[in-house]
Amino acid sequence: MDSLEEYEPHVTQELIDRGHARRMGHLENYFAVLRRQNMYSNFAVYGELNKAVSKRQLRLALRLLLLKYPILSHTIVPKKYPNHEAYYLSQEYLNKPFPQHDFIKVIPHLELEDLIMNSQSEYREVIGKISEQYKNDNFKVTSSLIELVAPIIVPACDPERPNWRLICLPSRDTSAGEAWTNFVYVSNHCGSDGISGTNFFQDLTALLSTIEENGFDYEEEIVDNNVIIDYNEDHKEISKLPISITDRIDYKPRLTSLPKFFLKNIVSEYCEFRTSNESTVTSRYSPSSNANAGFNHLLHFSAEDTQQIRSEIKKKVHAGCTITPFIQACFFVALYRHDKVFTKSFLEYGFDVALPSSTRRFLPNDEELRDSYKYGANVGGSHYTYLISSFNVPEGDANKFWRLVEYYHDCFLKSYDNGDHLIGLGTLQLDFIVQNKNVDQIISTTYLDHQRGGAIISNTGFVRQDTTKPYYARDLIFSQSAGALRFAFGLNVCSTNVGGMNMDMSVVQGTLRNRGEWESFCDVFYHAIGEFASLGCDTAVAGLV
């Protein structure tokens, strides 16, 4: 059992007593495993604000944000620092269990340059490419830009920087000096999720609005240097780290549910869609390889079209049905119609789909407590296999399509009641696993060196903007890399009442023959949305980015 002494002087009893250091929970450790075993790069949320933010405003807003939500200023304190990277990949580590997880703590000193990737020398080359691409694309976020951001690695155990960064994209108007309207929140998923990313822009714009409305009443907070947090001076103002969500919510499944879970996994290995190209095999990230690379395609629907889609869903299914099962059904129908994905062999009868969602909904109904979990990797999700034959919906057969939408919606709701929503991640948290097995080894063996299959569909939801405020987000885009998570396809969705709905679609290279075939599939998918939401073909074509 690890003792505190192993982590000193980086973690002290004083930090723990103040609530500014603690052990990671099981779910936090899962995402730490993905990063320390080099199996995941990042997710990103692209935010366009309605007007420019100066460096001075940004510094103050970030300070106020990090004081209130210290999970945004945390780092992971590993074993064997500074030789931790080699240690976690060694047999010395992987051959024995570690029931107690590593610590997280508030970083003692943060400056604005520690958060802004543009200022960091190790990212200079990729930031240069990103800035040039953004300018070449007429200062718009495109799939080409997303593909440049996707492989960026944010280290998980940097003692001086947190597990996320902010990219400031170039401004069309250069007369304002250091001021930006477009940002990219990039996270390695440690202590953060897609909801955290959209919350970041919600809180950032709210704080910027408050600062402007108050005429910089926070003047005493603004200093001439770039310091965001100085722990020695600020520790009394920093909120306590919330306890891990797995100490609030029990993810662990009932033992009686395990036989069905393991049987499903066995069947999925042999009877579901699987890629066959050597380039689609899951692998660790390395600087010299093109591991887990994908093609992206960004789709956009205006706010009016998004409302039309929602209205059509509620009219054709019921008022409680959401947009995610509609997107899922359109995606499945497009896969079948495209006729380039499935081999239609005897053993390929199922297609696997994971639908992550926030587990914050299971927290006690306490506003202050729920607010403390606004940031963090607080996710669960359903993971089901569906018959490929059911995706065959001929054009004009709207009734069959809407029955699928209702069925997918019901499946997702039932996953909350029957425990399927938590069983995948919860199984890794069972006592007999944690106490007797090395979790890194289990996850690595399960994920690495396998062909891919299925899709992960993530919807961060509808993020309402108050356009009467000085600052708000005009547009939000959510994207994430495939990593070694064994999914061939990815679909990431985010919507606002201003910019409408954006979908970042991705496919691991080699799943389809080439980018042209991928673009063709995206066109089929987009037309399926237009068909079933009664948008019209012209709208669908106009939305391709």
Side-chain angles (χ1 to χ4, degrees):
M1 185 173 293
D2 303 330
S3 64
L4 178 59
E5 286 76 15
E6 183 176 1
Y7 297 90
E8 291 178 333
H10 310 290
V11 178
T12 63
Q13 190 60 50
E14 183 178 49
L15 280 175
I16 296 172
D17 293 342
R18 287 175 175 173
H20 296 151
R22 62 165 173 79
R23 297 269 185 182
M24 285 191 290
H26 292 310
L27 188 59
E28 291 167 325
N29 182 64
Y30 168 81
F31 289 107
V33 170
L34 295 184
R35 180 74 293 279
R36 67 184 176 230
Q37 295 300 326
N38 296 322
M39 293 188 289
Y40 187 83
S41 59
N42 72 70
F43 73 82
V45 177
Y46 300 73
E48 178 190 352
L49 308 192
N50 63 307
K51 61 181 181 179
V53 181
S54 71
K55 188 174 182 179
R56 188 168 181 249
Q57 291 171 304
L58 184 62
R59 184 170 70 244
L60 174 57
L62 288 173
R63 171 175 168 78
L64 296 172
L65 188 59
L66 270 60
L67 287 174
K68 185 174 182 180
Y69 302 105
I71 198 72
L72 287 171
S73 60
H74 91 278
T75 188
I76 298 172
V77 183
K79 300 174 179 65
K80 309 291 186 182
Y81 182 84
N83 303 310
H84 56 286
E85 292 184 2
Y87 175 67
Y88 285 117
L89 296 173
S90 70
Q91 292 305 306
E92 177 188 358
Y93 170 74
L94 294 171
N95 282 340
K96 60 182 178 181
F98 288 89
Q100 286 193 309
H101 304 310
D102 291 337
F103 279 87
I104 62 172
K105 74 162 188 175
V106 173
I107 296 172
H109 186 88
L110 277 176
E111 298 189 8
L112 186 61
E113 284 70 18
D114 296 319
L115 305 178
I116 305 301
M117 191 176 285
N118 307 57
S119 307
Q120 298 168 10
S121 59
E122 63 268 37
Y123 299 109
R124 184 176 293 117
E125 182 179 354
V126 69
I127 290 296
K129 292 178 180 178
I130 289 168
S131 297
E132 193 64 28
Q133 186 70 55
Y134 187 64
K135 293 175 185 176
N136 290 341
D137 291 332
N138 197 27
F139 297 89
K140 293 180 180 179
V141 175
T142 63
S143 56
S144 299
L145 183 73
I146 291 172
E147 287 177 15
L148 289 173
V149 174
I152 291 175
I153 301 292
V154 178
C157 302
D158 189 327
E160 298 178 347
R161 295 172 180 170
N163 288 301
W164 62 277
R165 300 288 192 275
L166 202 61
I167 299 175
C168 301
L169 294 172
S171 297
R172 190 189 300 270
D173 179 12
T174 58
S175 62
E178 287 190 299
W180 308 274
T181 56
N182 290 268
F183 302 88
V184 191
Y185 173 91
V186 184
S187 170
N188 59 22
H189 224 323
C190 296
S192 188
D193 56 16
I195 299 293
S196 301
T198 58
N199 284 339
F200 175 85
F201 285 104
Q202 284 289 83
D203 286 343
L204 182 67
T205 52
L207 287 168
L208 290 169
S209 293
T210 300
I211 291 168
E212 181 162 313
E213 289 170 339
N214 289 354
F216 274 93
D217 282 352
Y218 295 99
E219 193 70 38
E220 70 279 3
E221 301 265 13
I222 302 175
V223 291
D224 293 332
N225 57 32
N226 285 329
V227 174
I228 301 289
I229 296 290
D230 185 332
Y231 188 79
N232 289 333
E233 295 185 5
D234 297 327
H235 68 86
K236 292 182 180 179
E237 298 180 60
I238 300 173
S239 301
K240 292 183 178 182
L241 290 165
I243 65 173
S244 167
I245 198 164
T246 48
D247 291 325
R248 295 277 185 193
I249 299 166
D250 189 6
Y251 277 62
K252 294 189 287 291
R254 298 186 302 273
L255 295 181
T256 54
S257 66
L258 292 181
K260 176 185 174 183
F261 173 74
F262 289 124
L263 179 62
K264 184 267 179 191
N265 286 341
I266 293 171
V267 171
S268 70
E269 286 295 322
Y270 301 100
C271 299
E272 290 182 359
F273 160 76
R274 284 285 181 267
T275 56
S276 57
N277 194 307
E278 184 178 345
S279 67
T280 59
V281 173
T282 55
S283 60
R284 299 183 197 273
Y285 283 94
S286 70
S288 59
S289 74
N290 197 33
N292 310 313
F295 297 130
N296 288 72
H297 194 96
L298 187 59
L299 310 180
H300 173 73
F301 296 87
S302 69
E304 294 75 21
D305 289 337
T306 304
Q307 183 55 47
Q308 166 63 21
I309 293 169
R310 294 180 185 278
S311 297
E312 197 72 8
I313 292 168
K314 296 184 185 307
K315 181 171 70 174
K316 295 295 176 61
V317 185
H318 54 70
C321 188
T322 62
I323 203 166
T324 301
F326 170 81
I327 293 170
Q328 179 181 342
C330 288
F331 185 78
F332 287 170
V333 169
L335 283 173
Y336 199 93
R337 288 181 178 179
H338 185 55
D339 202 29
K340 294 285 194 293
V341 177
F342 304 127
T343 64
K344 301 180 181 177
S345 68
F346 175 72
L347 290 178
E348 189 186 70
Y349 73 84
F351 189 85
D352 174 49
V353 64
L355 297 176
S357 68
S358 173
T359 51
R360 296 168 179 86
R361 72 186 70 209
F362 301 124
L363 290 167
N365 191 22
D366 180 298
E367 184 176 349
E368 183 177 351
L369 185 145
R370 284 179 169 243
D371 184 72
S372 68
Y373 289 90
K374 183 182 286 188
Y375 298 92
N378 303 320
V379 298
S382 65
H383 203 161
Y384 291 136
T385 297
Y386 299 94
L387 289 174
I388 292 173
S389 58
S390 68
F391 306 165
N392 183 13
V393 178
E395 289 192 25
D397 193 350
N399 289 334
K400 182 176 181 179
F401 172 82
W402 289 109
R403 287 196 300 271
L404 280 180
V405 175
E406 185 171 16
Y407 174 66
Y408 297 152
H409 176 75
D410 291 344
C411 286
F412 193 66
L413 289 184
K414 288 176 183 176
S415 73
Y416 291 132
D417 298 328
N418 61 23
D420 287 353
H421 183 71
L422 300 175
I423 191 171
L425 294 169
T427 301
L428 291 169
Q429 302 173 22
L430 290 166
D431 291 341
F432 71 84
I433 297 287
V434 175
Q435 298 292 331
N436 298 292
K437 300 291 183 180
N438 184 287
V439 176
D440 291 55
Q441 182 75 292
I442 292 174
I443 295 173
S444 298
T445 302
T446 304
Y447 287 179
L448 291 172
D449 302 316
H450 293 285
Q451 287 290 354
R452 299 171 181 271
I456 180 169
I457 302 177
S458 304
N459 187 353
T460 58
F462 181 75
V463 188
R464 182 170 294 280
Q465 304 299 304
D466 186 349
T467 57
T468 67
K469 293 293 185 180
Y471 282 91
Y472 58 87
R474 278 183 177 164
D475 211 11
L476 294 172
I477 299 169
F478 173 52
S479 174
Q480 68 175 324
S481 61
L485 300 186
R486 298 189 65 180
F487 296 105
F489 296 90
L491 184 53
N492 305 289
V493 186
C494 188
S495 310
T496 70
N497 55 306
V498 181
M501 179 168 61
N502 293 300
M503 299 184 192
D504 167 53
M505 301 177 66
S506 63
V507 66
V508 173
Q509 292 182 22
T511 303
L512 297 171
R513 287 186 300 176
N514 50 45
R515 188 185 291 272
E517 202 166 86
W518 167 240
E519 298 286 342
S520 175
F521 165 73
C522 294
D523 187 55
V524 173
F525 170 66
Y526 218 87
H527 277 80
I529 293 176
E531 173 189 343
F532 294 113
S534 302
L535 294 179
C537 184
D538 292 341
T539 299
V541 172
L544 293 171
V545 178

